[in-house]
Structure formats: structure tokens, C-alpha cells
Amino acid sequence: MRILISADMEGATGVTWTGDVVPGTEQWQRFRRLFTGDVNACVEGLVAGGATSVIVNEAHSSQRNLLLEDLHTSARLLTGRHKPLSMMQGIESDVDGVVFLGYHTGAGSPGVLAHTYLENSITGVWLDGVHASEGRLNAALAAEHGVPVLLVTGDDLTCSDAESYAPSARSVAVKECVSRYAAVCLPPTVAFSHITEASAAAMTQAGRVAGAVAPHRIEVEFDATHLAEAAAVVPTVEQVDVRRVGFDAASMTEAMKAFKVVTHVAAGAIEGIYG
Ligand SMILES: [Zn+2]
């Protein structure tokens, strides 16, 4: 059984604040160790549950956060950015299950460091009319490849979100959300043991099935009008309201590629303190 871990950082053990996840800061140096601990705890459980191969895909920011020198010896690490499928690179490589580790809730929702791709400027994303977190988007991409979501870790609200898009997946709440920048956190050793236990149990759900390619629609709402205008320059993308764009795609893979372009173009149009 080959398993993919898509590893984001905002939902990692102990993380509650911007500085914890911004590469180069003192806090980030501390939390990348805890983040690596979450990943290793997951690998430990997956292997105990029958995984024969585990690939960890870095999914946060520069995608160079995890400490390779401390990585579990049963895993391999896909580190670095500019990957066609971004957070989900590896889902196309015949894996039998995927773990969303360190995930968070979506833009416009409560939750620790909630956002969807851009930290601030996106206020909401909808997939086929349903308000969507990165987890929901990535689960749809996994479904297209016939890959089950085995486990989701993050704060308690991230786990609730996962129940709606991956009802068969297990979840581990490593912290309880108090506000966007505050949470009641488990000690790392306790969080790690919960993750290991859930990962091992989740392997009973592993096993690829036939994928289903279908058309999808994504809409994105920004906090400023000029970001929607900028994004609408992308072919197939139309401005559907003053701060909102939408586009249709023939598959979830194509939808996610277009979404990535939309976020890059909008990010490039952000100006100083007026956004
Ligand atoms: Zn992230």
C-alpha cells in the first residue's frame, strides 16, 4: 500500500500565529520541529497499519519546512515548490490513500489561521456551489483519482469540516480553536500518540478505486474589486460580481490548475496597505 501525506503547517501541533508558520522567523524554526513530529507520528502509524511506501508532499508556503534530517526512515520527502498539483502533487502516482496533515479551515470560516491559498485577500471559495476549504478542494481531486482520504489532522473545526467532505476519514484534533490566533493545544507527545493511533486505524480504509472525472465549477471571492478584475483576465475566468470570479473546468485537475493561476494573478495585483 502506497500512501501520500499532504502536509500543511497551520494545523500542526502548537501552531496558532502568523510567526509560527512564516519561513525564516524564530518561531517557525521551533514549529517546523513540531510539524516534523506530526508527520513522523503519522508515518509511524501508517507503516504499523500496513503501508509499504509513504511519500510526504510539503504543502505549506515555500514548501521547504519539514526537517529532512529528522524524517522517519520509512518515508520519503517531496520538498520544494512549483509542482503542477501543488499541495496534492503525488496523488497522480497510483497511491492507495491520502492523509491531510496539519490542515486548516477555509477563508471566511472560523478556525486557527483559516484561509484558502492566500492568507488574506480571498474571503471565500465555492466548489460546485459549496463553500470550500483547501481540504474540500483537495478531497475532490483525490476522488477524481479514486484515492480515499484516510485521515485529517488540524484544529477541532478542521476536523468538523472534514466530516462534511470526507465522512469515512478519521480525524485528530491537535488543538481546540479559541480564535483565529489562539487555541488550547495538546502537548506534542500526546498529539503524536493520537496521530499514530489514528493513522494505523485509518489504513483499513486504504485502497484505490476507479476514479470519476467530472466537470466542476469554482468561484472565488476577494476582499477588493481590483483583485477580481485582475483574475478575470485569465482565460475561461469571468467576473460574476464586483469582488467575485468564477470558472468552469472539464475535470477537478483542470479546475485546480486554473484556481492556482487565479490565485497567482490576484496575489500579483495586491498593493501595499490598501490591498
Ligand atoms: Zn499552509
Side-chain angles (χ1 to χ4, degrees):
M1 287 281 185
R2 293 160 45 82
I3 307 299
L4 172 69
I5 300 175
S6 170
D8 203 355
M9 194 169 183
E10 287 87 351
T13 292
V15 166
T16 59
W17 182 60
T18 312
D20 299 348
V21 293
V22 172
T25 66
E26 191 179 329
Q27 281 295 95
W28 172 76
Q29 292 290 1
R30 175 183 171 216
F31 282 100
R32 61 194 303 215
R33 287 197 295 275
L34 294 183
F35 181 27
T36 304
D38 281 2
V39 166
N40 285 342
C42 183
V43 175
E44 182 74 23
L46 294 173
V47 170
T52 52
S53 163
V54 181
I55 178 91
V56 183
N57 178 31
E58 291 235 31
H60 174 72
S61 185
S62 62
Q63 301 172 9
R64 299 178 188 279
N65 307 278
L66 292 164
L67 295 165
L68 179 62
E69 54 271 46
D70 293 336
L71 188 70
H72 195 294
T73 54
S74 293
R76 289 174 300 140
L77 181 63
L78 172 51
T79 189
R81 62 189 299 189
H82 306 307
K83 298 167 286 194
L85 294 178
S86 193
M87 299 180 80
M88 290 292 277
Q89 190 71 27
I91 198 70
E92 75 294 352
S93 60
D94 294 341
V95 291
D96 299 294
V98 61
V99 174
F100 295 165
L101 184 137
Y103 269 41
H104 49 80
T105 51
S109 298
V112 175
L113 298 174
H115 69 285
T116 306
Y117 274 54
L118 303 184
E119 295 83 359
N120 273 320
S121 304
I122 290 176
T123 55
V125 174
W126 288 263
L127 173 63
D128 302 323
V130 179
H131 192 246
S133 60
E134 290 166 11
R136 180 177 295 277
L137 295 171
N138 292 344
L141 187 60
E144 183 162 283
H145 288 85
V147 178
V149 180
L150 304 178
L151 171 70
V152 179
T153 78
D155 69 8
D156 56 329
L157 300 180
T158 300
C159 294
S160 303
D161 181 42
E163 283 173 24
S164 69
Y165 66 73
S168 299
R170 283 173 169 75
S171 64
V172 174
V174 299
K175 55 198 166 190
E176 194 178 321
C177 175
V178 172
S179 77
R180 183 169 172 78
Y181 299 111
V184 178
C185 298
L186 293 174
T189 52
V190 176
F192 297 165
S193 73
H194 289 342
I195 291 172
T196 299
E197 194 178 325
S199 301
M203 280 301 295
T204 58
Q205 300 286 323
R208 198 155 23 98
V209 297
V213 176
H216 291 279
R217 179 172 180 80
I218 290 180
E219 295 201 357
V220 184
E221 187 183 80
F222 298 96
D223 65 357
T225 56
H226 71 288
L227 300 186
E229 291 162 4
V233 170
V234 177
T236 77
V237 177
E238 56 175 352
Q239 191 168 357
V240 296
D241 207 340
V242 285
R243 291 185 292 107
R244 189 160 169 150
V245 298
F247 57 90
D248 295 296
S251 69
M252 197 59 203
T253 301
E254 293 305 310
M256 288 306 287
K257 287 179 178 175
F259 179 59
K260 187 176 175 182
V261 175
V262 163
T263 59
H264 277 272
V265 170
I270 297 169
E271 295 279 357
I273 58 174
Y274 281 85

